[in-house]
Amino acid sequence: MTTPVNTMSNANLIKRSIAVWAIVCLISGALLYAEQIRRQFWAQDREFSALYSTIGAVLTQNESVLPLLSGDEDITALRKKFPHILALEKTTDRGLDATRVEPLHDQQYWLYNPWRQIRVLIDLAPLLATSHTFSRLHMHFPTNPDETASGAFWHWQRTFPQHTQPFTLNADAEPDWLGVSWFSFPLVFFGWAVVIAVASVAFWQRKARKEAEQRAHYYQHARLNTLGEITAGIVHEIN
């Protein structure tokens, strides 16, 4: 028969188990949510790095092909190999120390070769117009004034190493706060419930076994004490 003390002890154990489960679920849920947001960041970071590499290859291609042009090439044939080149023109009396890049509009700019007195019109807009997950993506030319901060939660900024085209690629993004896998949260909470329930049962069994051993030890001492008292009484009567 369960005593009131054991009933109260079991109730306290259940309450503590529920409190531990709630605390563990709260901490693990927060960590799981933060991890999924972190994965969103790294996915967009990889996307930004891939786009940076793609544009960097085009800029390197520009620096490689420009010294090979004479200005007499057919622009249609040239664009078949280099679709980002819109126009090719000859220049006159342009100083060797003049600016190599002159922005036109949007993501277009003139790239000069003063040694050959030619220039090409480059259009990077198609590269920036590809499907992406950024809220804002643009190229900053060094001759343009610095733009104010967008205030986005995530921001990427990286400058290209090309000497004649030291542009800076900028991207902004906002986390998808609700776009996490909510199905994983009940699984985690249920898993913790199973773990804590098993641990609580094991603790209760250990405690019950220890109490049973203590009671058995007490009863044994009580019997020995009683036997000692009876023996002492018999000895007294014999005397």
Side-chain angles (χ1 to χ4, degrees), residues 19 60 90 116 214:
T60 301
K90 291 185 177 181
R116 288 183 176 269
Q214 290 177 347

Side-chain angles (χ1 to χ4, degrees), residues 1 19 42 59 62 67 75 84 86 106 119 129-130 180 224:
M1 183 175 180
W42 286 116
L59 299 184
N62 295 339
I75 187 60
H84 53 277
L86 299 182
D106 294 334
R119 67 176 185 174
T130 56
V180 297
L224 291 176

Side-chain angles (χ1 to χ4, degrees), residues 58-70:
V58 172
L59 299 184
T60 301
Q61 191 179 67
N62 295 339
E63 292 190 346
S64 301
V65 71
L66 188 59
L68 304 178
L69 300 177
S70 62

Side-chain angles (χ1 to χ4, degrees), residues 169-186:
L169 182 63
N170 296 275
D172 299 328
E174 296 289 343
D176 187 1
W177 301 109
L178 299 179
V180 297
S181 177
W182 297 106
F183 178 74
S184 57
F185 288 85

